[in-house]
């Protein structure tokens, strides 16, 4: 049994147990209709959250809360019988728990009151009676404890997902290798830490429809979740994504609180608002998975990789979230950076009684990237080669297919390496600096949007609609969400560039499911490429429509007309033309009201095997970084002196925004590398034995300050890719990935020790210096009962992208356009 105190003291993560209540007492959700209910005053919502990590809900007593002044409604899990989730395979969440709780922080009830203070006081009066269940704290415990199951679905026991792929005869490559490197690594979980907490406001509009404003990165997915969880007609729901004060993946899931305030607004006919506390944001989480890894690499005598064998064990927390995709991503992109002829990947995600993990900047890929880049550094040292040369000699080739059938576009990684090596004088200084000073190099690659949508459907991934007004203004509508990355600016500038008008003349309307065409959301670094291509199509259609009318008027072939400087004129005789406004009037006179649409859907992936839908992208971005550090061998303290980072941007549409994204990635990456960790511990049994967050506040959860941030030299490498708008690639996530391994490699160069864990803290450096092995990191990789592998022959061994031993799968298109695949 427990009460809540989530809203009082942000440092108090566990409240004192309240008096015992009759376990038979259950709340069905009483509503007190006050005389002033018809008034449009906004109401406030607070959630009652579990203070135990794993337990059955036996009873909820909200009588005292309902008796309080100002309380209008108490909701419980009985109001929400339908589960929801972001992935179709993991609809395992309810807006409020209806049978049991799975982590400290799971919401069990909601109080709606006239003021936020009244809602807080009433929430603290709700008493929940629990029957405790075994708490599972780690993936290792999950593997060893199949019962009680945290969820009744999943591969087995408390294992959510296990995958096993083999691309070519990996064992044969290891048997014939000149060198075999076998290392284990651990990457601690961390969270997004946006300055803005989650917040939502829901209303029932005058037509009786639902409208919700929310701090979300994915209004389309929230729209789908609301329709399912509330059993509503999707046409009667409108989601408006407010400008975000930071997201970084943490606002990509549909959340409990969003659905709860929507339900309350519909029941009460009043606006209902919720703002989460910082403590609640830490427990909502959906951040970086803690991952333990074993990486075995076979090389020839020169260090060229012959085969890679990767195992990953993910701590998924208590719910599915994006976890199935995260499992695949912990191995899918290892082949797109360097040439890897044969590859084996085994991944396992386990459920634990902790806040659910999900996508954070780089989603699933920073952890194995850390392992691969640190191991490459080991290989270079062992073979007496410069780490830059080892990488340059085996870069993946542009236009190629990888062993696991990822299709590579342009690749500017060689130029990236050359730039950071030259700028840092890496060749002259690596391995030659005084003891305590070091240089570390690392590289990375990342998606420019996922090639397949979360909900498989033969539908566009992004749409743009243009309204061309006779005033001269152009309005661009798109469902993409501005989360600080500058996507609104990109949209306006693409439209303006093609139509030859100033960006200031383009109004953008984005992130509103009631007004804009669908865009799948701001995640996977997809917006510039996918929204951008849709915007180009819509703008070119508008341009061609106008050019036809202007050409007829001027007697000039439409193909010869130029749109620039708010004019439409003949390329051969610029004096022959008309103003933009005159051109619009001419076209509207000919065609009627002017409007066009554009959409984008990536090409079908080359990977046709089950699981091959995670990893394909229209193209990939590449980054390289060198970090210089000073390490104190007496204290282990690491001071980052300078960062050189180069990013293959394809083409930079707005260099200022691009550089800002690169530096933001450097900042976040260094925070992860040095100090950030989402860690949990058990309280003493005399309190509750709960599994709680150790540092759930910005004061205690350490992140870089401005004084910690080093000087950064940025290089933008332009190698335009035909898949991107004007050749552009992503920049929002890729430059983060090399930061963590480059930092670890620089520590080795400085003091000669390997810290095979993230974060690399002073304590770990000291322990590595004291160890005989000059290493700090995990021991043996846990034993996992892996399934039989799907065997796929690489392209150069005659493979066609299908698995040799996979059973045929059938698929059908559901009413909402989603593709349903069955074995």
């Amino acid at each position: 049994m427990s009460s809540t105190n989530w809203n009082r003291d942000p440092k108090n993560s566990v409240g004192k147990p309240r008096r015992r209540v009759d376990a038979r007492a259950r709340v069905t959700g009483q509503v007190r209709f006050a005389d002033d209910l018809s008034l449009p005053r906004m109401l406030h919502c607070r959630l009652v959250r579990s203070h135990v990590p794993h337990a059955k809900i036996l009873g909820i007593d909200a009588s005292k809360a309902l008796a309080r002044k100002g309380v209008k409604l108490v909701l419980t899990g009985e109001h929400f019988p339908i589960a929801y989730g972001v992935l179709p395979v993991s609809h395992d969440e309810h807006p409020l728990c209806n049978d049991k709780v799975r982590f400290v922080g799971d919401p069990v009830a909601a109080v709606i009151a006239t003021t936020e203070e009244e809602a807080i006081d009433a929430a603290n009066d709700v008493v929940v009676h629990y029957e405790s269940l075994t708490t599972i704290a780690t993936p290792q415990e999950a593997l060893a404890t199949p019962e009680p199951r945290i969820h009744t679905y999943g591969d087995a026991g408390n294992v959510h997902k296990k995958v096993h792929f083999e691309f070519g005869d990996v064992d044969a490559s290891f048997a014939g290798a000149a060198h075999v490197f076998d290392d284990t690594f651990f990457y601690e979980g961390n969270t997004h830490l946006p300055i803005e907490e989650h917040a939502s406001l829901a209303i029932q509009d005058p037509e009786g429809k639902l409208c919700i404003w929310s701090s979300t990165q994915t209004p389309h997915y929230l729209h789908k979740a609301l329709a399912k969880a509330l059993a509503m007609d999707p046409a009667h729901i409108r989601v408006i994504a407010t400008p975000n004060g930071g997201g970084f993946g943490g606002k990509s899931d549909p959340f409990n609180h969003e659905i709860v305030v929507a339900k309350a607004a519909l029941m009460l006919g009043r606006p209902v608002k919720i703002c989460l506390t910082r403590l609640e944001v830490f427990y909502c989480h959906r951040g970086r998975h803690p991952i333990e890894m074993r990486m075995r690499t076979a090389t020839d005598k020169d260090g060229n990789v012959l085969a890679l064998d990767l195992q990953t064990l993910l701590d998924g927390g208590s719910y599915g979230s994006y976890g199935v995709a995260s499992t695949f991503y912990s191995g899918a992109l290892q082949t797109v950076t360097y040439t890897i002829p044969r590859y084996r990947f085994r991944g396992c995600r386990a459920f634990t009684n902790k806040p659910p993990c999900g996508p954070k900047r780089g989603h699933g890929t920073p952890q194995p990237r850390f392992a691969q880049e640190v191991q490459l550094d080991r290989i270079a040292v062992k073979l007496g080669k410069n780490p830059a040369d080892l990488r340059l000699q085996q870069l993946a080739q542009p236009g190629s297919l990888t062993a696991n059938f990822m299709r590579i576009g342009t690749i500017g990684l060689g130029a990236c390496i050359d730039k950071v090596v030259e700028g840092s004088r890496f060749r002259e200084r690596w391995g030659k600096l005084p003891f305590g000073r070091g240089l570390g190099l690392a590289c990375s690659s990342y998606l420019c949007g996922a090639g397949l949508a979360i909900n498989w459907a033969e539908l566009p991934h992004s749409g743009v609609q243009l309204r061309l007004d006779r005033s001269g203004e152009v309005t661009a509508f798109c469902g993409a969400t501005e989360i600080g990355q500058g996507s609104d600016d990109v949209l306006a500038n693409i439209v303006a560039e093609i139509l030859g008008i100033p960006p200031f003349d383009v109004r953008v309307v984005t992130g509103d499911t009631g007004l804009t065409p669908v865009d799948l959301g701001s995640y996977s670094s997809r917006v510039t490429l996918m929204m951008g291509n849709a915007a180009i199509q819509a703008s070119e259609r508008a341009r061609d429509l106008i050019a036809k009318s202007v050409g007829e008027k001027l007697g000039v072939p439409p193909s010869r007309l130029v749109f620039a400087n708010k004019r439409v004129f003949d390329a051969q005789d610029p004096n022959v033309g008309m103003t933009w406004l005159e051109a619009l009037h001419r076209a509207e006179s000919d065609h009627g009201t002017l409007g066009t649409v554009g959409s984008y859907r990536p090409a079908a992936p080359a990977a046709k095997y089950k699981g091959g839908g995670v990893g394909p992208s229209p193209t990939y971005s590449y980054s390289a970084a060198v970090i210089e550090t000073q390490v104190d061998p007496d204290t282990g303290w690491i001071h980052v002196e300078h960062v050189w980072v180069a990013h293959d941007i394809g083409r930079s549409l707005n260099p200022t925004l691009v550089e800002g994204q690169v530096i933001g990635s450097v900042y976040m990456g260094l925070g992860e590398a040095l100090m950030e960790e989402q860690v949990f511990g058990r309280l003493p049994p005399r309190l509750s034995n709960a599994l709680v967050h150790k540092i759930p506040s910005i004061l205690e959860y350490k992140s870089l300050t401005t004084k910690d941030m080093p000087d950064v030299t940025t290089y933008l490498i332009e190698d335009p890719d035909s898949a991107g708008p004007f050749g552009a690639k992503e920049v929002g996530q890729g430059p983060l990935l090399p930061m963590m391994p480059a930092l670890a490699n620089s520590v080795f160069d400085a003091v000669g020790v390997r810290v095979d864990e993230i974060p690399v803290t002073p304590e770990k450096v000291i322990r590595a210096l004291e160890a005989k092995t000059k290493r700090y990191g995990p021991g043996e990789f846990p034993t996992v009962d892996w399934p039989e592998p799907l065997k796929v022959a690489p392209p150069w061994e005659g493979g066609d992208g299908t698995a040799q031993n996979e059973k045929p799968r059938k698929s059908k298109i559901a009413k909402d356009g989603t593709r349903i695949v069955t074995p």
Side-chain angles (χ1 to χ4, degrees):
M1 61 183 174
S2 175
S3 69
T4 75
N5 199 15
W6 288 85
N7 312 297
R8 288 295 192 191
D9 180 0
K11 286 189 175 183
N12 181 15
S13 59
V14 175
K16 296 180 180 180
R18 300 294 290 239
R19 60 181 177 83
R20 294 185 65 86
V21 299
D22 186 346
R24 296 169 297 177
R26 271 199 170 272
V27 173
T28 57
Q30 298 96 322
V31 183
R32 285 188 4 184
F33 292 94
D35 293 337
D36 63 345
L37 192 60
S38 60
L39 297 177
R41 286 186 58 191
M42 183 172 69
L43 301 174
H44 296 265
C45 175
R46 300 312 306 176
L47 297 179
V48 179
R49 296 182 181 272
S50 168
H51 286 140
V52 294
H54 196 197
K56 294 180 180 178
I57 301 172
L58 300 181
I60 301 175
D61 182 2
S63 56
K64 188 175 178 181
L66 285 161
R68 276 189 172 271
K69 175 187 174 183
V71 174
K72 304 298 180 183
L73 174 65
V74 174
L75 296 171
T76 69
E78 291 184 352
H79 291 92
F80 300 98
I82 303 173
Y84 73 96
V86 68
L87 298 186
V89 295
S90 299
H91 281 206
D92 58 2
E93 296 188 63
H94 288 82
L96 298 172
C97 299
N98 60 6
D99 57 351
K100 69 175 184 176
V101 295
R102 294 172 172 88
F103 72 101
V104 170
D106 230 355
V108 295
V111 175
I112 291 84
T114 305
T115 68
E116 190 170 18
E117 291 76 12
E118 289 170 342
I120 290 170
D121 290 338
N124 288 327
D125 283 336
V126 175
V127 182
V128 185
H129 189 67
Y130 297 108
E131 178 184 313
S132 292
L133 299 171
T134 301
T135 300
I136 296 171
T138 66
Q140 292 81 355
E141 288 183 15
L143 293 174
T145 314
E147 297 288 342
R149 298 187 73 179
I150 296 174
H151 289 283
T152 55
Y153 80 102
D155 282 1
N158 284 304
V159 171
H160 182 199
K161 187 67 178 177
K162 286 194 288 191
V163 298
H164 187 176
F165 301 98
E166 189 166 327
F167 305 94
D169 193 341
V170 173
D171 292 333
S173 295
F174 273 90
H179 304 281
V180 173
F181 297 83
D182 190 344
D183 300 291
T184 56
F185 302 90
F186 177 66
Y187 198 114
E188 183 59 87
N190 51 67
T191 200
H192 315 84
L193 210 68
I195 295 301
E196 177 199 48
E197 293 107 325
H198 299 253
S200 300
L201 170 64
I203 67 167
Q204 185 177 38
D205 70 18
E207 296 179 330
K209 297 178 181 179
L210 171 65
C211 181
I212 180 171
W213 290 261
S214 195
S215 180
T216 178
Q217 296 177 230
T218 53
H220 173 64
Y221 293 150
L222 175 56
H223 185 271
K224 289 180 74 72
L226 286 163
K228 183 174 189 289
L230 300 178
M232 286 186 65
D233 186 334
H236 300 163
I237 300 172
R238 181 182 181 187
V239 177
I240 301 172
T242 59
N244 275 208
F248 315 114
K251 297 171 182 174
S252 299
D253 281 78
F255 282 94
N256 313 76
H257 63 271
E258 295 170 313
I259 301 172
V260 167
V261 295
K263 177 77 169 181
L266 292 172
M267 291 179 68
L268 296 170
R270 301 267 294 271
V272 180
K273 179 181 179 179
I274 187 169
C275 296
L276 300 191
T277 65
R278 179 61 60 180
L279 174 63
E280 288 179 293
V281 174
F282 271 100
Y283 278 90
C284 283
H285 192 39
R286 316 299 165 120
R288 189 85 73 213
H289 283 74
I291 302 185
E292 194 162 344
M293 296 161 282
R294 181 185 180 189
M295 182 167 285
R296 297 173 64 237
T297 300
T299 75
D300 64 16
K301 61 182 177 60
D302 295 320
N304 296 305
V305 174
L306 303 176
L308 178 64
D309 185 357
L310 172 63
Q311 298 180 69
T312 64
L313 178 59
L314 293 74
D315 184 342
S318 51
Y319 289 98
S321 183
Y322 287 80
V324 170
S326 307
T327 307
F328 285 104
Y329 275 132
S330 70
L333 299 189
Q334 298 311 107
T335 58
V336 302
T337 313
Y338 310 107
T339 299
I340 298 176
R342 290 173 175 172
Y343 180 43
R344 178 190 291 134
F345 166 55
R346 289 167 281 183
C348 174
R349 184 181 193 260
F351 286 123
T352 59
N353 293 120
K354 293 185 285 192
C357 298
K360 185 188 174 186
R361 205 171 192 171
H363 188 193
T365 67
Q367 301 94 321
R369 176 58 50 191
F370 167 72
Q372 188 172 27
E373 294 296 318
V374 171
Q375 191 177 70
L376 283 172
D377 201 65
R378 273 188 169 89
I379 295 171
V381 171
K382 174 73 173 179
L383 302 184
K385 300 180 75 76
N386 187 285
D389 294 332
L390 180 72
R391 289 165 169 82
L392 287 167
Q393 73 189 34
Q394 52 193 319
L395 297 179
Q397 295 303 302
S400 65
L401 278 177
T402 68
N404 57 339
F405 286 85
M406 303 296 116
R407 184 182 289 113
I408 296 175
T410 61
I411 173 168
L413 182 54
C416 289
I417 294 174
D418 289 341
K419 278 292 185 182
V420 297
V421 165
E422 179 185 4
S424 64
R425 296 175 54 236
F426 186 81
R427 295 188 190 280
E428 297 86 353
R429 299 199 298 147
W430 176 75
K432 301 172 185 176
L433 294 174
F435 185 77
R437 299 186 71 90
L439 292 170
L441 169 69
C443 303
S444 69
S445 53
Y446 197 64
L447 307 162
C448 295
L452 283 181
I454 285 173
N455 298 281
W456 288 12
E458 296 178 358
L459 297 169
H461 291 208
S462 186
V464 170
Q465 185 173 9
L466 298 184
R467 180 186 71 91
L468 291 87
D469 187 74
R470 64 186 63 171
S471 69
E473 179 186 70
V474 177
T475 304
F477 299 88
C478 181
T481 308
E482 174 62 68
I483 59 171
Q485 83 280 38
S487 60
D488 282 1
D489 180 87
V490 169
L491 176 58
N493 276 277
I494 286 176
V495 173
E497 175 71 20
I498 292 172
L499 297 181
I501 60 178
F504 193 64
D505 289 359
V506 180
R507 183 185 301 276
V508 295
V509 178
T510 55
D512 185 335
T513 65
L515 295 178
T516 63
V518 168
D519 178 274
L520 298 183
S522 292
Y523 66 96
S524 291
S525 280
R526 55 175 300 284
V527 177
T528 291
L529 188 140
M530 298 194 181
M531 176 197 73
N533 280 322
I536 286 175
Q537 187 180 77
S539 301
E540 288 178 344
R541 287 172 173 172
R543 182 193 62 194
D544 294 347
L545 199 65
I546 296 167
K548 181 180 179 182
S549 293
V550 173
E552 290 176 355
K553 177 69 175 177
L554 299 179
V556 175
S559 60
R560 217 168 71 197
L561 291 174
V562 176
F563 286 64
N565 300 319
K566 296 189 75 169
R567 292 186 68 238
V568 182
F569 56 88
D570 186 355
Q572 295 182 359
D573 185 358
N575 292 321
V576 176
M578 62 179 67
T579 67
W580 166 249
L581 201 60
E582 291 169 339
L584 280 182
H585 291 175
R586 181 73 260 166
E588 187 174 350
S589 174
D590 290 345
H591 306 293
T593 301
L594 296 177
T596 59
V597 296
S599 59
Y600 176 78
R601 187 176 72 185
K608 301 178 180 67
Y609 55 88
K610 184 178 181 180
V614 179
S617 179
T619 188
Y620 300 89
S621 72
Y622 295 87
S623 303
V626 170
I627 294 179
E628 182 171 354
T629 57
Q630 183 175 352
V631 183
D632 187 332
D634 295 323
T635 64
W637 189 261
I638 303 166
H639 178 69
V640 180
E641 298 276 342
H642 200 102
V643 174
W644 295 265
V645 58
H647 183 67
D648 167 21
I649 185 62
R651 175 170 288 164
S652 180
L653 302 184
N654 185 322
T656 301
L657 286 178
V658 170
E659 188 169 357
Q661 287 292 305
V662 173
I663 293 174
S665 287
V666 171
Y667 167 82
M668 184 170 279
L670 289 178
E672 291 194 27
L674 292 168
M675 61 189 70
E676 292 191 37
E677 49 186 350
Q678 176 107 337
V679 289
F680 295 81
R682 293 185 187 275
L683 288 181
R686 62 183 175 80
L687 291 178
S688 73
N689 204 33
L691 190 62
V692 298
H693 200 305
K694 289 185 177 181
I695 44 177
S697 76
I698 290 182
L699 178 64
E700 297 160 303
Y701 182 94
K702 299 302 180 186
S703 182
L704 290 187
T705 68
T706 54
K707 290 186 176 181
D708 299 313
M709 187 66 180
D711 290 334
V712 179
T713 300
T714 303
Y715 308 97
L716 302 182
I717 304 302
E718 294 198 306
D719 184 8
D721 193 300
S722 60
F726 303 110
K729 295 185 182 183
E730 76 86 34
V731 68
Q733 303 186 61
L736 174 143
L737 273 69
M739 292 302 120
M740 293 72 72
L743 186 282
N745 291 339
S746 73
V747 169
F748 173 78
D749 190 45
V751 292
V753 299
R754 293 287 181 188
V755 178
D756 291 335
E757 289 192 2
I758 292 295
V760 182
T761 62
E763 296 83 359
K764 295 174 184 177
V765 172
I766 292 297
R767 291 182 67 177
L769 286 166
E770 294 172 347
K772 291 182 180 180
T773 60
K774 298 302 177 185
R775 174 186 181 269
Y776 181 90
E780 291 186 6
F781 187 83
T783 300
V784 179
D785 182 18
W786 297 111
E788 287 296 312
L790 277 181
K791 295 186 176 183
V792 182
W796 42 87
E797 295 181 13
D800 62 359
T802 61
Q804 302 157 2
N805 58 336
E806 183 180 350
K807 295 178 180 179
R809 291 176 290 155
K810 299 178 181 179
S811 66
K812 63 179 181 180
I813 305 298
K815 291 181 179 179
D816 64 355
T818 300
R819 179 178 292 277
I820 301 173
V821 179
T822 56

